[in-house]
Amino acid sequence: MAKDPKEYSQMLHDAVHEMAEWGRIGQKSRRYMHSRQWDDVNLDQGRNQLRLTHNVIRRDIENLVARLIEADPIIETQGRGPEDWQISSVWKDLLRWSDDWTGQEYDSVLEVRRKCMMHMYTVGLGIEEVGFAADEEGGQGMVVSKALDPMHFAWADDGDSVQLRNVSWMAKYPPMLVEHLEKEFPDLKDEIKADVPGFFTQGFQTARFEN
C-alpha cells in the first residue's frame, strides 16, 4: 500500500535525525581532511592567526586508498533473496564488463570507486550507485557508476545487514536549489520551501564540495 508523501517525508526526517550525531562527526572529519582543524579560530579577529601545522591526515587516507586499489578488490552484486539470483547474475556480468571502461560522459568505474573509498576512510561510509546510461558509447549505452555522498543518503533502521540488503527503504536526497525544483515542477511553484537538515549547513557545504 502506497504511503502518503507526508509519511515519506517524515520517515526521511526521522532517519536524518537518527544519523545527526554521525553527520556532525563526519563533517568534522572532512574539515580535518582539508586542514581546517582549528574550530576555535575566529578569522574575523585580526590578531587571531592560524597555528602552523603539518597535517598528514589526507596523505594517510590517500595512502590507504592507494593500497586498497592496488589490491584490486572484486566488487560483487547480491540480490536481496533467492528470487533475485538471476538478475544479480546478469549484473555481475555487466559490472565485470564495465570494470576496465575509462568513461566518456561519466567517470570511469575506477575513479568512482576511488571516491567511494575516500568517503569510506573519511566518514566511515562509501556508496556506489550503478545504473545504465543510454547516451554513453555513442548511443549504444553502457553500465555507469556514481559515487553518492553518504551525507545525503539515509535508510530504514529495520534491517540487520551491513550491506543494507534487507532494509525496507533507502533514499538519496542531494541538495537542490528551490529555483531548480520550481522549474522542474511548475505546478508546485510557491509551494516548495527550503527544508534541509541542520548539519548540512553551518560551514558543511565548503567541505563537501572540496572532496
Side-chain angles (χ1 to χ4, degrees), residues 88-181:
S88 65
S89 298
V90 173
W91 271 108
K92 283 183 181 180
D93 293 337
L94 289 173
L95 287 175
R96 292 193 189 101
W97 181 46
S98 67
D99 274 350
D100 297 327
W101 179 65
T102 55
Q104 293 181 358
E105 300 294 330
Y106 295 80
D107 288 337
S108 67
V109 173
L110 180 61
E111 177 59 24
V112 168
R113 288 179 183 166
R114 189 195 72 82
K115 292 178 182 177
C116 291
M117 293 171 190
M118 290 291 288
H119 289 160
M120 181 180 69
Y121 280 115
T122 305
V123 302
L125 179 64
I127 304 170
E128 177 185 353
E129 181 184 57
V130 181
F132 189 84
D135 56 341
E136 270 290 358
E137 294 293 321
Q140 297 183 48
M142 186 61 187
V143 178
V144 298
S145 296
K146 296 179 182 178
L148 300 185
D149 190 333
M151 293 291 188
H152 300 144
F153 190 84
W155 58 89
D157 62 354
D158 55 2
D160 56 6
S161 167
V162 175
Q163 300 295 332
L164 308 180
R165 291 179 60 190
N166 57 352
V167 296
S168 58
W169 62 268
M170 293 179 283
K172 58 177 181 178
Y173 48 102
M176 298 182 66
L177 293 175
V178 172
E179 291 82 1
H180 291 175
L181 290 173

